[in-house]
């Protein structure tokens, strides 16, 4: 059964943890769906782990739309949330509504936007009034890395944790159905989670949130340039891919691939014609 925003919100009152992962392609989305994931985020992390950019700020709307379309074709039950990339919603409300609509048209069920300023709060309100659900994002916000100055933990004292809580409350009042809390002390994220009604989804924010999200490439060990403290690797894709490729290279060079079973053959009659031609 298709998971909806309302269903995800209900998990909090049922004390049921929300499970979320990123995906960027048809088959990964399909397999996560089969596994029973609640929410798939088409993350702007694709900039790093798929396209090889050095920052999430490099990816464009057009690139993100391709990934969103592929994921929406692969996952039929998970709630699909598309990350609005850097500067795709910051210029004006009109620009944001137009771009968000493109993601919905490509199969997303909701969009995710970062920040909690007055403009963002007004934008969340306008988006939800227009029928576009919004997943908010506070704590460390990667799209603001150039102003933050690095991957720094947020909410490390009472005053800053309270400030994040107040921003979360404002986003909730504006209509956000949930919020991602990133890179925060577990006590701070638990404090925020206990003082708002919408569900929180943590990444590097401890187990006090209402759910968790990871980048799928970290989960399966496919991205080794950086290994964050909070990411648990369940599989070593790098080792598997390099090992399979090395075996393939060896089999091709030694003539072991393709085998007789992996090859097509002519009929005896046609084979004779070839042999006769060579003899003439």
């Amino acid at each position: 059964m298709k998971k909806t925003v309302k269903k995800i919100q209900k998990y909090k009152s049922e004390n049921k943890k929300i499970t979320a992962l990123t995906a960027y392609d048809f088959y990964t989305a399909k397999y996560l769906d089969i596994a029973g994931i609640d929410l798939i985020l088409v993350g702007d992390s694709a900039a790093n782990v798929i396209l090889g950019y050095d920052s999430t700020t490099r990816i464009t709307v057009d690139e993100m739309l391709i990934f969103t379309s592929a994921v929406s074709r692969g996952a039929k039950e998970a709630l699909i949330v598309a990350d609005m990339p850097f500067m795709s919603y910051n210029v004006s409300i009109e620009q944001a509504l137009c771009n968000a609509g493109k993601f919905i048209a490509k199969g997303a069920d909701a969009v995710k936007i970062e920040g909690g300023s007055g403009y963002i709060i007004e934008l969340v309100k306008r988006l939800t009034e227009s029928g576009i659900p919004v997943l908010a994002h506070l704590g460390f916000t990667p799209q603001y890395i150039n102003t933050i100055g690095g991957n720094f933990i947020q909410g490390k004292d009472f005053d800053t944790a309270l400030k994040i809580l107040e921003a979360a409350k404002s986003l909730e009042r504006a209509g956000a159905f949930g919020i991602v809390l990133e890179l925060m002390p577990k006590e701070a994220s638990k404090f925020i989670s206990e003082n708002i009604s919408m569900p929180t989804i943590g990444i590097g924010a401890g187990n006090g949130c209402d759910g968790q999200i990871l980048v799928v490439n970290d989960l399966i060990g496919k991205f080794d340039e950086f290994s964050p403290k909070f990411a648990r690797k369940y599989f070593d894709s790098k080792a598997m891919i390099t090992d399979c490729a090395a075996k393939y290279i060896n089999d091709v060079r030694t003539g072991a691939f393709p085998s007789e079973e992996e090859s097509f053959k002519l009929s005896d009659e046609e084979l004779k014609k070839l042999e006769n031609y060579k003899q003439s």
Side-chain angles (χ1 to χ4, degrees):
M1 183 179 294
K2 176 69 177 179
K3 294 181 175 72
T4 64
V5 165
K6 292 297 182 184
K7 189 173 184 66
I8 296 297
Q9 287 179 313
K10 194 177 179 183
Y11 281 3
K12 180 158 186 163
S13 61
E14 295 173 341
N15 200 29
K16 180 179 179 180
K17 291 287 189 179
I18 300 162
T19 60
L21 286 166
T22 65
Y24 319 99
D25 65 271
F26 173 84
Y27 278 109
T28 300
K30 181 178 180 179
Y31 298 154
L32 296 183
D33 213 39
I34 291 171
I37 203 75
D38 296 317
L39 184 154
I40 293 176
L41 173 67
V42 188
D44 60 2
S45 48
N48 306 100
V49 302
I50 302 297
L51 299 177
Y53 293 134
D54 61 356
S55 169
T56 60
T57 60
R58 307 286 188 255
I59 200 164
T60 66
V61 169
D62 288 342
E63 289 167 329
M64 285 295 298
L65 288 172
I66 292 171
F67 298 132
T68 300
S69 182
V71 168
S72 69
R73 289 192 291 271
K76 302 304 179 185
E77 295 190 6
L79 185 78
I80 299 171
V81 180
D83 239 337
M84 296 278 286
F86 181 63
M87 293 305 293
S88 66
Y89 56 92
N90 310 79
V91 175
S92 67
I93 298 289
E94 289 71 23
Q95 174 221 31
L97 287 169
C98 179
N99 284 330
K102 292 178 183 177
F103 285 104
I104 300 301
K106 288 295 184 181
D109 302 305
V111 297
K112 181 173 79 64
I113 59 177
E114 297 181 11
S117 67
Y119 168 76
I120 297 296
I121 290 164
E122 177 60 27
L123 174 57
V124 171
K125 183 179 178 183
R126 290 287 299 276
L127 285 168
T128 54
E129 286 175 348
S130 300
I132 301 175
V134 177
L135 179 64
H137 186 153
L138 290 175
F140 173 66
T141 46
Q143 292 180 12
Y144 293 80
I145 193 167
N146 290 326
T147 52
I148 295 172
N151 299 320
F152 299 130
I153 297 171
Q154 305 295 307
K156 293 195 293 184
D157 56 54
F158 174 76
D159 288 339
T160 53
L162 186 61
K163 186 176 180 181
I164 295 171
L165 172 62
E166 292 305 319
K169 286 182 176 179
S170 295
L171 289 163
E172 182 176 26
R173 286 192 294 269
F177 74 87
I179 186 166
V180 171
L181 298 177
E182 183 168 358
L183 275 185
M184 295 182 63
K186 62 180 184 178
E187 298 85 358
S189 62
K190 186 173 186 291
F191 167 71
I192 293 168
S193 300
E194 291 175 342
N195 285 280
I196 56 176
S197 299
M198 65 178 171
T200 61
I201 300 174
I203 178 166
N207 61 8
C209 294
D210 302 304
Q212 297 292 328
I213 186 166
L214 283 178
V215 172
V216 72
N217 292 55
D218 290 332
L219 184 87
I220 63 174
K222 196 177 179 182
F223 180 67
D224 68 346
E225 281 77 5
F226 173 68
S227 181
K229 171 185 173 68
F230 54 81
R232 181 179 297 182
K233 186 165 74 172
Y234 286 81
F235 188 70
D236 193 345
S237 291
K238 177 187 176 183
M240 182 199 69
I241 292 170
T242 53
D243 181 59
C244 288
K247 289 177 179 176
Y248 167 76
I249 291 166
N250 181 69
D251 286 350
V252 170
R253 287 176 175 167
T254 60
F257 177 83
S259 66
E260 285 294 309
E261 292 75 15
E262 294 158 333
S263 302
F264 301 101
K265 296 181 180 180
L266 285 172
S267 67
D268 291 342
E269 182 182 351
E270 295 302 319
L271 181 58
K272 279 185 179 181
K273 292 179 181 178
L274 287 182
E275 291 172 344
N276 291 333
Y277 177 83
K278 287 191 295 183
Q279 294 171 2
S280 61

